[in-house]
Amino acid sequence: MNTENRGRLTKDGIRIYDPSDSAGMLAAGKLAAQILDAMSEHVFVGQTTAAIDKVITDTVDAAGAKSATIGYKGYQHASCISVNHVVCHGIPSDKKLNDGDIVNIDVTVIVDGWFGDTSRMYVAGKLPRKAERLIQVTHDSLMLGIEAVKPGNTFGDIGHAIQAYVESHRMSVVRDFCGHGLGRVFHAPPNVVHYGRPGTGAVLEPGMFFTIEPMVNLGRAETKTLADDWTAVTRDKSLSAQFEHSVGVTETGVEIFTLSPAGTFHPTYG
């Protein structure tokens, strides 16, 4: 069997993996999470995102793994690092972090052919109150989305849980980007949108692997992509935050593949 085509496909084109495949996802997810755990000490005022990316590149290499993003559609970095009003796909650069900057670091590694994809928020210096609220709401919306993952529920249930919570705090869910299936490939069906109506979309089945990665803006939801064809920013220049886990549907609920070994997934924990 072609290892990229293991398992079966649902009528919606979503791959169903075997229970034994969770071990590969856990190994890849653990490495990705360990890398992000280690980044806490590298995010500080005066640091550059290029320097952070260099540490990530070296760590992936030292682990004997591969970066999924280096060479992906021409991208040349082991991470995406998005600062303040950058929603996602921020390119590491020599620009220095300022006091109060909020930073999302997103990494995807390949371990024995399995993909581990996760991102979380950091702060350089003192965390501003409005940014603290944004980060908390974004984190909590992800966890509410994950709570909706169980057999028989739908992807619409996940999106609704996230959207309802975010909008109850007068913030906006980004609609231009979404989560995705993964496993032995980086991106696969389904598109996991972070808004929606309960009971709509494909039904969740054990063996589905995918990311949930809500992007939340303090202002309006609209984004635009800059001339580099990667960096997405909020149109109104409002702050944006994102958290991402890779998960699998189990017979009884959900398994998170990218849990933080150090317990520092949230920047004010640990």
Side-chain angles (χ1 to χ4, degrees):
M1 178 190 297
N2 182 332
T3 57
E4 292 185 1
N5 296 323
R6 60 203 298 152
R8 65 176 177 86
L9 293 179
T10 70
K11 64 181 178 62
D12 299 294
I14 303 169
R15 190 163 301 283
I16 303 297
Y17 287 92
D18 294 330
S20 60
D21 292 331
S22 292
M25 292 298 292
L26 282 167
K30 182 179 180 180
L31 176 60
Q34 286 174 325
I35 290 169
L36 291 189
D37 283 351
M39 290 309 103
S40 297
E41 64 184 73
H42 295 281
V43 178
F44 51 83
V45 176
Q47 174 71 301
T48 69
T49 55
I52 297 171
D53 183 71
K54 177 64 164 58
V55 175
I56 293 171
T57 302
D58 292 345
T59 305
V60 173
D61 290 344
K66 294 182 179 179
S67 166
T69 54
I70 294 177
Y72 179 76
K73 295 184 177 180
Y75 196 76
Q76 294 302 315
H77 303 275
S79 64
C80 293
I81 304 180
S82 304
V83 181
N84 292 335
H85 73 288
V86 178
V87 175
C88 59
H89 303 159
I91 301 174
S93 74
D94 292 328
K95 185 176 180 179
K96 294 180 179 181
L97 296 174
N98 296 314
D99 186 40
D101 282 350
I102 60 171
V103 183
N104 176 272
I105 302 178
D106 188 342
V107 299
T108 306
V109 298
I110 309 170
V111 177
D112 295 328
W114 296 98
F115 286 70
D117 188 1
T118 183
S119 82
R120 68 179 80 158
M121 298 301 296
Y122 303 80
V123 60
K126 182 176 175 58
L127 180 61
R129 175 59 184 147
K130 65 179 182 178
E132 182 178 18
R133 286 188 58 248
L134 171 65
I135 288 171
Q136 189 67 54
V137 168
T138 307
H139 172 273
D140 293 349
S141 75
L142 168 62
M143 302 316 293
L144 287 168
I146 291 174
E147 285 180 13
V149 178
K150 60 183 178 181
N153 274 7
T154 69
F155 284 96
D157 294 326
I158 298 172
H160 176 74
I162 293 168
Q163 179 185 8
Y165 183 77
V166 169
E167 293 180 353
S168 75
H169 288 272
R170 299 180 180 275
M171 299 179 193
S172 302
V173 176
V174 170
R175 299 186 176 218
D176 296 334
F177 301 94
C178 62
H180 53 88
L182 82 171
R184 303 287 294 190
V185 294
F186 195 175
H187 295 100
N191 289 334
V192 184
V193 299
H194 305 113
Y195 58 91
R197 292 183 293 113
T200 62
V203 175
L204 301 173
E205 297 182 39
M208 290 180 174
F209 298 162
F210 51 88
T211 70
I212 307 176
E213 47 185 294
M215 288 145 273
V216 176
N217 298 344
L218 267 181
R220 296 178 59 87
E222 292 81 7
T223 72
K224 65 178 180 180
T225 300
L226 301 185
D228 59 27
D229 290 329
W230 285 103
T231 309
V233 300
T234 55
R235 282 192 173 272
D236 61 7
K237 299 297 179 70
S238 63
L239 289 177
S240 186
Q242 179 186 23
F243 285 89
E244 175 185 13
H245 270 316
S246 296
V247 303
V249 185
T250 69
E251 294 289 342
T252 57
V254 62
E255 182 172 27
I256 301 174
F257 300 128
T258 47
L259 287 173
S260 164
T264 55
F265 184 68
H266 187 291
T268 62
Y269 294 176

